[in-house]
Amino acid sequence: MKKIGTLLITLLLLCACSNTTTSTDTTTTSTSDKVEDGDVVKIDYVGYLDGEAFDGGSANGYLLEIGSDTFIDGFEDQIIGMKAGETQTITVTFPSTYGSTTINGETVSLANQEVEFEVSVNHIFREVK
């Protein structure tokens, strides 16, 4: 039984290590590096409107390519310069065409709303050149 436990722990560690580099070793990550345009970051975030978290405004372990314009304008730009392990509050304004969300059971429009996101950078992935 002890051997099985040791084997399982070893396998889990190997799997965890394989998430930080690709099989061809084309990516790297370092806790001393700062996020740059083109990096892929693994982030946790929670969005707040008037201090209240809103539905659909949070994620854990989200992989985001900086410069992909996947998020609301200004969101990705404010992650540039952050380090792995750092948490920062980012403020953005949703566009006028944005839909609504639910806060405390009530439907609230996010159009033209300024919101804050608490963002934590867990890992920075960068292509080795």
Side-chain angles (χ1 to χ4, degrees), residues 2 9 15 40-41 44 49 63 75 81 85 91 94 99-100 110 114-115:
K2 189 175 182 181
I9 290 171
C15 290
V40 173
V41 292
D44 300 334
L49 176 64
L63 292 174
F75 186 96
T91 303
F94 279 91
S100 59
L110 288 175
E114 183 176 272
V115 298

mmCIF file of all heavy atoms in Angstrom, residues 2 9 15 40-41 44 49 63 75 81 85 91 94 99-100 110 114-115:
data_model
loop_
_atom_site.group_PDB
_atom_site.id
_atom_site.type_symbol
_atom_site.label_atom_id
_atom_site.label_comp_id
_atom_site.label_asym_id
_atom_site.label_seq_id
_atom_site.Cartn_x
_atom_site.Cartn_y
_atom_site.Cartn_z
ATOM 1 N N LYS A 2 1.967 1.217 0.759
ATOM 2 C CA LYS A 2 2.868 2.357 0.833
ATOM 3 C C LYS A 2 3.490 2.633 -0.537
ATOM 4 O O LYS A 2 3.668 3.778 -0.927
ATOM 5 C CB LYS A 2 3.946 2.093 1.872
ATOM 6 C CG LYS A 2 4.806 3.282 2.189
ATOM 7 C CD LYS A 2 5.752 2.969 3.316
ATOM 8 C CE LYS A 2 6.584 4.172 3.671
ATOM 9 N NZ LYS A 2 7.516 3.888 4.748
ATOM 10 N N ILE A 9 1.874 9.716 -5.717
ATOM 11 C CA ILE A 9 2.445 11.043 -5.465
ATOM 12 C C ILE A 9 3.441 11.405 -6.561
ATOM 13 O O ILE A 9 3.446 12.524 -7.075
ATOM 14 C CB ILE A 9 3.101 11.098 -4.068
ATOM 15 C CG1 ILE A 9 2.008 11.049 -2.991
ATOM 16 C CG2 ILE A 9 3.970 12.346 -3.903
ATOM 17 C CD1 ILE A 9 2.514 10.892 -1.586
ATOM 18 N N CYS A 15 2.808 15.064 -13.396
ATOM 19 C CA CYS A 15 1.727 15.749 -14.132
ATOM 20 C C CYS A 15 1.749 17.243 -13.859
ATOM 21 O O CYS A 15 1.574 18.048 -14.758
ATOM 22 C CB CYS A 15 0.366 15.164 -13.759
ATOM 23 S SG CYS A 15 0.103 13.501 -14.393
ATOM 24 N N VAL A 40 1.629 34.439 -22.210
ATOM 25 C CA VAL A 40 0.392 33.803 -21.757
ATOM 26 C C VAL A 40 0.497 33.753 -20.240
ATOM 27 O O VAL A 40 1.515 33.322 -19.692
ATOM 28 C CB VAL A 40 0.233 32.388 -22.343
ATOM 29 C CG1 VAL A 40 -0.972 31.692 -21.732
ATOM 30 C CG2 VAL A 40 0.091 32.459 -23.863
ATOM 31 N N VAL A 41 -0.552 34.231 -19.577
ATOM 32 C CA VAL A 41 -0.562 34.237 -18.118
ATOM 33 C C VAL A 41 -1.697 33.363 -17.610
ATOM 34 O O VAL A 41 -2.755 33.259 -18.243
ATOM 35 C CB VAL A 41 -0.699 35.671 -17.550
ATOM 36 C CG1 VAL A 41 0.534 36.484 -17.841
ATOM 37 C CG2 VAL A 41 -1.931 36.376 -18.076
ATOM 38 N N ASP A 44 -6.148 34.337 -11.817
ATOM 39 C CA ASP A 44 -7.414 34.259 -11.098
ATOM 40 C C ASP A 44 -7.939 35.684 -11.069
ATOM 41 O O ASP A 44 -7.155 36.626 -10.910
ATOM 42 C CB ASP A 44 -7.231 33.780 -9.658
ATOM 43 C CG ASP A 44 -6.609 32.399 -9.548
ATOM 44 O OD1 ASP A 44 -6.745 31.603 -10.502
ATOM 45 O OD2 ASP A 44 -5.989 32.118 -8.501
ATOM 46 N N LEU A 49 -18.674 45.305 -9.154
ATOM 47 C CA LEU A 49 -19.396 46.521 -9.523
ATOM 48 C C LEU A 49 -19.918 47.130 -8.231
ATOM 49 O O LEU A 49 -20.671 46.476 -7.495
ATOM 50 C CB LEU A 49 -20.554 46.209 -10.472
ATOM 51 C CG LEU A 49 -21.449 47.383 -10.854
ATOM 52 C CD1 LEU A 49 -20.656 48.432 -11.636
ATOM 53 C CD2 LEU A 49 -22.641 46.907 -11.676
ATOM 54 N N LEU A 63 -6.239 30.951 -18.602
ATOM 55 C CA LEU A 63 -5.070 31.205 -19.446
ATOM 56 C C LEU A 63 -5.414 32.312 -20.428
ATOM 57 O O LEU A 63 -6.334 32.182 -21.226
ATOM 58 C CB LEU A 63 -4.665 29.941 -20.194
ATOM 59 C CG LEU A 63 -4.115 28.820 -19.322
ATOM 60 C CD1 LEU A 63 -3.885 27.562 -20.145
ATOM 61 C CD2 LEU A 63 -2.820 29.245 -18.627
ATOM 62 N N PHE A 75 -7.986 45.907 -19.939
ATOM 63 C CA PHE A 75 -7.763 44.852 -18.945
ATOM 64 C C PHE A 75 -6.367 44.255 -19.105
ATOM 65 O O PHE A 75 -5.574 44.233 -18.161
ATOM 66 C CB PHE A 75 -8.831 43.764 -19.092
ATOM 67 C CG PHE A 75 -8.781 42.695 -18.028
ATOM 68 C CD1 PHE A 75 -9.604 42.785 -16.920
ATOM 69 C CD2 PHE A 75 -7.940 41.604 -18.142
ATOM 70 C CE1 PHE A 75 -9.579 41.795 -15.935
ATOM 71 C CE2 PHE A 75 -7.903 40.612 -17.176
ATOM 72 C CZ PHE A 75 -8.720 40.715 -16.073
ATOM 73 N N GLY A 81 3.583 44.101 -16.742
ATOM 74 C CA GLY A 81 4.422 44.594 -15.658
ATOM 75 C C GLY A 81 4.219 43.865 -14.340
ATOM 76 O O GLY A 81 5.040 43.990 -13.425
ATOM 77 N N GLY A 85 2.628 35.683 -8.801
ATOM 78 C CA GLY A 85 2.399 35.793 -7.368
ATOM 79 C C GLY A 85 1.841 37.141 -6.941
ATOM 80 O O GLY A 85 1.458 37.316 -5.791
ATOM 81 N N THR A 91 -9.034 48.485 -13.113
ATOM 82 C CA THR A 91 -10.299 49.174 -13.352
ATOM 83 C C THR A 91 -10.513 49.314 -14.858
ATOM 84 O O THR A 91 -9.625 49.767 -15.574
ATOM 85 C CB THR A 91 -10.292 50.566 -12.702
ATOM 86 O OG1 THR A 91 -10.027 50.418 -11.300
ATOM 87 C CG2 THR A 91 -11.626 51.265 -12.893
ATOM 88 N N PHE A 94 -16.907 48.923 -19.074
ATOM 89 C CA PHE A 94 -17.540 48.072 -20.077
ATOM 90 C C PHE A 94 -18.101 48.936 -21.206
ATOM 91 O O PHE A 94 -18.558 50.052 -20.972
ATOM 92 C CB PHE A 94 -18.665 47.247 -19.446
ATOM 93 C CG PHE A 94 -18.165 46.028 -18.717
ATOM 94 C CD1 PHE A 94 -17.845 46.075 -17.378
ATOM 95 C CD2 PHE A 94 -18.037 44.828 -19.390
ATOM 96 C CE1 PHE A 94 -17.395 44.954 -16.711
ATOM 97 C CE2 PHE A 94 -17.587 43.694 -18.733
ATOM 98 C CZ PHE A 94 -17.261 43.755 -17.397
ATOM 99 N N GLY A 99 -23.775 43.496 -22.229
ATOM 100 C CA GLY A 99 -25.036 43.018 -21.659
ATOM 101 C C GLY A 99 -25.139 43.219 -20.159
ATOM 102 O O GLY A 99 -24.523 44.109 -19.577
ATOM 103 N N SER A 100 -25.899 42.355 -19.532
ATOM 104 C CA SER A 100 -26.169 42.488 -18.105
ATOM 105 C C SER A 100 -25.634 41.275 -17.347
ATOM 106 O O SER A 100 -25.198 40.291 -17.928
ATOM 107 C CB SER A 100 -27.670 42.642 -17.865
ATOM 108 O OG SER A 100 -28.362 41.526 -18.385
ATOM 109 N N LEU A 110 -24.246 46.015 -17.320
ATOM 110 C CA LEU A 110 -22.834 46.374 -17.212
ATOM 111 C C LEU A 110 -22.426 47.401 -18.260
ATOM 112 O O LEU A 110 -21.308 47.913 -18.235
ATOM 113 C CB LEU A 110 -21.953 45.125 -17.349
ATOM 114 C CG LEU A 110 -21.974 44.165 -16.162
ATOM 115 C CD1 LEU A 110 -21.168 42.918 -16.463
ATOM 116 C CD2 LEU A 110 -21.453 44.849 -14.906
ATOM 117 N N GLU A 114 -18.166 51.289 -14.863
ATOM 118 C CA GLU A 114 -16.776 51.125 -14.453
ATOM 119 C C GLU A 114 -16.755 50.017 -13.394
ATOM 120 O O GLU A 114 -17.505 50.085 -12.413
ATOM 121 C CB GLU A 114 -16.236 52.421 -13.869
ATOM 122 C CG GLU A 114 -14.764 52.328 -13.500
ATOM 123 C CD GLU A 114 -14.208 53.631 -13.003
ATOM 124 O OE1 GLU A 114 -13.758 54.435 -13.837
ATOM 125 O OE2 GLU A 114 -14.239 53.840 -11.769
ATOM 126 N N VAL A 115 -15.907 49.011 -13.620
ATOM 127 C CA VAL A 115 -15.817 47.887 -12.690
ATOM 128 C C VAL A 115 -14.364 47.670 -12.297
ATOM 129 O O VAL A 115 -13.441 48.078 -12.998
ATOM 130 C CB VAL A 115 -16.401 46.582 -13.287
ATOM 131 C CG1 VAL A 115 -17.879 46.732 -13.592
ATOM 132 C CG2 VAL A 115 -15.647 46.162 -14.524
#
